[in-house]
Amino acid sequence: MELATAIPVFKISSERLAREHYIDCLGFTIDWIYQQRNHPVYLQIRKDKLVLHLTEHEGDAEPGAVVMVHVSGIDQFYLELRTRLPAGKLVIVSHTEASTTLQIADPFGNQLRLTENKLS
């Protein structure tokens, strides 16, 4: 057996708010959307190599998940985001010569924790 790449599933309660946050603000794109008439939405979004699933379906996920993502170019991304995100939604968790970690909270309580090892 060989394990493949994991795809985190974030619980959302509003497709509109999810689009505003992930697409408009963070720059993700939508790969696909699954929704039958008058049913909750399930969609796949992507930014570079990071793929996330967002779901309104009950029982698929619980709000408040945290996903750790290794990145490069974190300082420039932080400068871009600090003007687009509301206060408290973008937090520098740690910043040293060796690494920087940012935490981005979505409107549903989920968090992306972005970290860059600067010594590699």
Side-chain angles (χ1 to χ4, degrees), residues 80-119:
E80 292 172 23
L81 289 181
R82 70 180 187 171
T83 61
R84 288 189 253 158
L85 286 170
K89 295 294 183 182
L90 176 64
V91 176
I92 298 174
V93 176
S94 69
H95 182 69
T96 67
E97 289 183 25
S99 69
T100 298
T101 302
L102 300 177
Q103 187 164 283
I104 302 169
D106 76 6
F108 317 103
N110 303 301
Q111 298 174 27
L112 290 176
R113 198 167 289 160
L114 310 177
T115 188
E116 180 177 23
N117 182 349
K118 296 181 179 181
L119 297 180

Side-chain angles (χ1 to χ4, degrees), residues 9-13 18 21-22 52-55 61-67 89 103-113:
V9 179
F10 279 170
K11 177 73 169 178
I12 63 171
S13 57
H21 179 76
Y22 287 101
L52 297 174
H53 283 188
L54 306 178
T55 183
E62 292 295 323
V66 177
V67 173
K89 295 294 183 182
Q103 187 164 283
I104 302 169
D106 76 6
F108 317 103
N110 303 301
Q111 298 174 27
L112 290 176
R113 198 167 289 160

